[in-house]
Amino acid sequence: MSGVVGLDIWTYRSGQAQETQDVLAVEEPLELRVLEEGGDFALAVTMRTPGQDESLTRGWLHAEGLLPFVDSLHGDPDQPNVLWLRGDAAALRHRARAGVTSSACGVCGSGSVERLSLRVLPPRWTAPPLPPEQIVALPQRLRDVQPGFAATGGLHAAGLFTAEGGLLCAFEDVGRHNAVDKVVGWAAERGQLPLSDRLLVTSSRAGFEIVQKAALAGAAVVITVGAASSLAVDTAAALNLTLVGFVRGERFNVYAGPERIAK
């Protein structure tokens, strides 16, 4: 099956840990570059599951009003995460400078785990390993402070907890990455960055942008109720973050950093 990859993980069921294999959705960046006389320039970076890249790009260009300025686009087998565009380079450059540069949720031009690692300090974790029973309780604790979701069913949430499970703050937003930004902004306003010995809990899946924002804020543990993507797991492992997903009922999966979870 295209668009998925297998991974060996730790799973917890009713407090018992066992090693097993999970299947993740593949997430990788796609960079759009515009060819012009004498060179090229970046137009946008978006996160996606590889496949149908040209259709994805044409759809994005149409939504941004840029499709009329593009004559053709093509890929390169040696650069599977880049699409090259030809057309009115001057018009496209003007619109890129005006802010049409990314359709990604929080990618912000990072583009790769390697570049992100240059901006991130090693996370600081001095607390004991987290008890499984504490982890499985956190999603409900977050749900209890989601009045917007209770009323609409249409809002994501992110919360910041102490290593002992104490709630520090929680915010809702239609965008899962926006909810995380609100948590980080709350901590920054109070001089609490980096988020040493803190747990970032989200009601969403664990995509690259969630792990990226957590790493830049200095968080060592990210806990989500949804699935993790392949790039989120790779990023968490590379940056020494603990990434926990599918926290539901009495079970959860540990995709990276299992040493911070008690067995």
Side-chain angles (χ1 to χ4, degrees):
M1 183 186 303
S2 62
V4 300
V5 62
L7 178 74
D8 292 328
I9 65 167
W10 282 95
T11 185
Y12 287 70
R13 297 176 184 271
S14 301
Q16 299 298 313
Q18 63 179 352
E19 202 167 6
T20 185
Q21 188 173 72
D22 197 18
V23 178
L24 310 181
V26 175
E27 182 184 29
E28 294 180 358
L30 176 65
E31 183 174 14
L32 307 182
R33 299 196 66 85
V34 179
L35 293 165
E36 61 181 348
E37 187 175 353
D40 62 83
F41 63 90
L43 176 66
V45 177
T46 187
M47 306 304 294
R48 94 296 191 208
T49 297
Q52 299 82 46
D53 286 343
E54 292 194 9
S55 295
L56 169 66
T57 300
R58 292 184 189 279
W60 180 82
L61 290 168
H62 175 75
E64 296 292 342
L66 300 179
L67 193 56
F69 303 104
V70 176
D71 297 329
S72 65
L73 52 90
H74 68 275
D76 182 341
D78 295 327
Q79 295 178 290
N81 287 331
V82 178
L83 271 184
W84 302 92
L85 284 61
R86 291 185 181 276
D88 188 338
L92 292 170
R93 182 185 290 277
H94 172 73
R95 283 157 178 78
R97 287 176 174 170
V100 183
T101 58
S102 176
S103 64
C105 297
V107 176
C108 302
S110 294
S112 72
V113 177
E114 291 78 11
R115 288 182 60 188
L116 178 59
S117 66
L118 298 177
R119 302 174 56 197
V120 172
L121 294 175
R124 183 174 178 270
W125 181 263
T126 63
L130 297 167
E133 58 270 22
Q134 177 179 315
I135 292 174
V136 299
L138 289 173
Q140 185 57 52
R141 295 206 59 202
L142 184 61
R143 177 66 65 85
D144 290 342
V145 289
Q146 290 181 244
F149 179 84
T152 68
L155 292 176
H156 287 295
L160 189 65
F161 292 80
T162 66
E164 296 74 32
L167 177 65
L168 297 172
C169 71
F171 297 99
E172 294 183 290
D173 200 280
V174 291
R176 58 183 180 270
H177 54 289
N178 292 341
V180 173
D181 282 339
K182 291 177 181 180
V183 168
V184 175
W186 178 92
E189 184 179 5
R190 289 159 178 77
Q192 296 188 23
L193 294 180
L195 299 177
S196 304
D197 292 337
R198 296 290 185 260
L199 313 176
L200 178 65
V201 182
T202 79
S203 65
S204 65
R205 70 180 182 88
F208 168 78
E209 74 277 7
I210 299 295
V211 174
Q212 176 201 38
K213 291 175 182 295
L216 289 169
V221 179
V222 179
I223 298 171
T224 70
V225 301
S229 73
S230 63
L231 187 58
V233 173
D234 290 345
T235 304
L239 301 178
N240 193 29
L241 271 69
T242 295
L243 180 59
V244 178
F246 273 130
V247 187
R248 299 176 182 180
E250 295 298 314
R251 60 155 293 180
F252 59 87
N253 294 341
V254 182
Y255 296 102
E259 66 277 4
R260 297 188 182 98
I261 311 297
K263 294 182 181 179

